[in-house]
Amino acid sequence: MRRWIKVAVTAAAVLGLGGYIAEPYARDWMAVGSACDGALPRDAVEQLRPESAQFTGGESQRIPGLGFYRCSLSFQGEQRWDVPLIGLAAYTGHDDQDRDLMTAFPDMHLSSHMVLSGGLPGIVDDLGVVRIVMPCPALGKDDEGRPRKMLVRFEPGEAWKRESEAVHRTAVSLANSASGKLGCGARPLSAPQKTASLDWKKRQRSAVPVERAAGTGCDWLARAGLARETGWRVMAEVNDSAPANSCELRGKETASGREPAMVFSAWYGDWGNRLTADDGNGERLPLTAVARCDGEAANFRIDAAKNTPGLAEADRPRLLKMFAEDQVRRRGCSGLRLY
């Protein structure tokens, strides 16, 4: 009898130790499974998680009357405080979308942005925030007759630069889930099998000589007649579904170590009107253009220093026109006007 008692005690101790060891993994499993109403892909989240971080849980909130949904997943930080790893906010209200998109281009600066891979309708700003814009056919039109859309803002944590594939898959899963939560009725997105790096420096190194611009999304630059001796290289951030596109030109390094550059930018949606208007009087800035795309404005702009080598002042309107015409053709827009 005593022998069986010893065996039982020993087995209980082993089981207890095993349960103690397994508990953090069980907590992680439950936290990821319950966060964002179960929409998080576990393997992608594992790639985004900081090393040895312990998940502490998640939360979600939906306010259908305001067209708002948010959710998050947190982990325990160094100070034993809960730190958000993944954060999502989705809006179907036009004003909410405009405010959020403007934060990607603050204070009229033409902030760097990357387009998502695989034709996904989104961009990534220089802080790693992903913004996806999806049409909402189930919601009809707003009070101004514009087709309703949903903006999804996704913050993937500090690993975003090195985990492009995980960022794309998580963003797609959350966007599809948010569409259902808000009654958007958008066609489900699919994550691309191959994704470009989200490291801005690596994207810059992938720029190609201007004569090889064909097939980059900035094809028009190959026939723009730019001086080859300037050594222009093209960095194309063009996606025919994204809310913003850009063609950036970088020249040879100067004696001061800086590269001259000019940027051709396109913003799709009425929110872009603010990026082409003079804050002082509200009139349009020179060297900008506007068209109509999907019931809203599309704005185009060229930004270059006055003494950009190899670029005459008279060339700027011509280049802006080529860029805007190419974008209008790609997106099926109409009514192009240049200023």
Side-chain angles (χ1 to χ4, degrees):
M1 177 67 72
R2 289 180 180 176
R3 179 172 176 272
W4 285 109
I5 293 174
K6 288 181 180 179
V7 171
V9 169
T10 302
V14 170
L15 289 171
L17 179 60
Y20 177 78
I21 293 172
E23 186 181 356
Y25 300 99
R27 287 203 302 265
D28 280 350
W29 182 269
M30 293 178 64
V32 175
S34 61
C36 294
D37 297 294
L40 293 172
R42 292 183 183 277
D43 53 345
V45 170
E46 187 62 33
Q47 291 176 261
L48 295 172
R49 172 176 31 189
E51 187 175 357
S52 302
Q54 176 68 57
F55 291 129
T56 55
E59 60 179 4
S60 61
Q61 179 186 24
R62 181 170 66 101
I63 308 177
L66 298 179
F68 173 70
Y69 172 72
R70 70 177 180 89
C71 68
S72 63
L73 173 66
S74 299
F75 67 95
Q76 192 173 79
E78 295 181 1
Q79 304 299 323
R80 304 189 70 82
W81 296 331
D82 281 2
V83 178
L85 169 64
I86 287 171
L88 171 87
Y91 313 94
T92 58
H94 206 88
D95 291 342
D96 293 327
Q97 295 172 14
D98 287 359
R99 280 192 294 268
D100 192 88
L101 283 165
M102 284 298 296
T103 64
F105 304 92
D107 303 323
M108 293 292 293
H109 295 303
L110 304 185
S111 303
S112 300
H113 77 272
M114 297 169 278
V115 295
L116 292 178
S117 299
L120 292 174
I123 58 174
V124 185
D125 69 18
D126 51 5
L127 298 177
V129 178
V130 179
R131 291 174 175 85
I132 292 177
V133 179
M134 302 170 70
C136 292
L139 297 181
K141 297 183 178 181
D142 65 14
D143 294 339
E144 297 182 31
R146 297 171 295 194
R148 297 282 295 279
K149 299 177 182 179
M150 177 182 69
L151 169 69
V152 173
R153 175 193 173 101
F154 166 50
E155 298 181 45
E158 296 181 357
W160 64 275
K161 285 186 180 180
R162 65 176 184 271
E163 299 293 350
S164 173
E165 189 262 350
V167 169
H168 280 73
R169 285 206 296 124
T170 307
V172 164
S173 182
L174 289 174
N176 289 337
S177 175
S179 174
K181 296 294 181 186
L182 296 177
C184 176
R187 177 180 296 178
L189 301 174
S190 298
Q193 294 184 346
K194 292 184 64 176
T195 63
S197 171
L198 293 179
D199 186 314
W200 185 252
K201 291 183 178 179
K202 289 183 179 179
R203 303 268 274 230
Q204 288 178 322
R205 289 196 291 270
S206 68
V208 300
V210 68
E211 58 269 21
R212 288 167 42 201
T216 65
C218 298
D219 308 48
W220 61 277
L221 282 167
R223 24 177 225 281
L226 294 169
R228 290 197 176 189
E229 59 269 20
T230 309
W232 291 113
R233 297 181 69 83
V234 182
M235 183 174 173
E237 293 295 336
V238 175
N239 173 336
D240 294 343
S241 300
N245 282 336
S246 68
C247 295
E248 180 176 322
L249 284 173
R250 291 180 169 267
K252 293 179 180 178
E253 194 169 16
T254 64
S256 63
R258 295 173 295 182
E259 291 185 338
M262 53 180 158
V263 182
F264 299 86
S265 301
W267 303 284
Y268 291 92
D270 291 343
W271 61 276
N273 291 333
R274 303 177 197 178
L275 295 170
T276 53
D278 188 325
D279 282 345
N281 55 27
E283 295 181 0
R284 290 193 65 89
L285 293 168
L287 292 177
T288 63
V290 66
R292 299 295 294 177
C293 300
D294 295 327
E296 291 193 69
N299 285 274
F300 311 98
R301 177 174 165 184
I302 177 176
D303 185 63
K306 286 188 176 181
N307 298 318
T308 301
L311 179 65
E313 285 290 322
D315 287 335
R316 299 180 189 220
R318 177 180 64 85
L319 294 174
L320 173 64
K321 184 173 184 287
M322 290 185 72
F323 170 66
E325 286 178 342
D326 184 71
Q327 287 283 307
V328 164
R329 177 186 59 80
R330 288 174 174 274
R331 307 286 285 243
C333 306
S334 61
L336 178 63
R337 289 181 291 157
L338 285 86
Y339 293 84

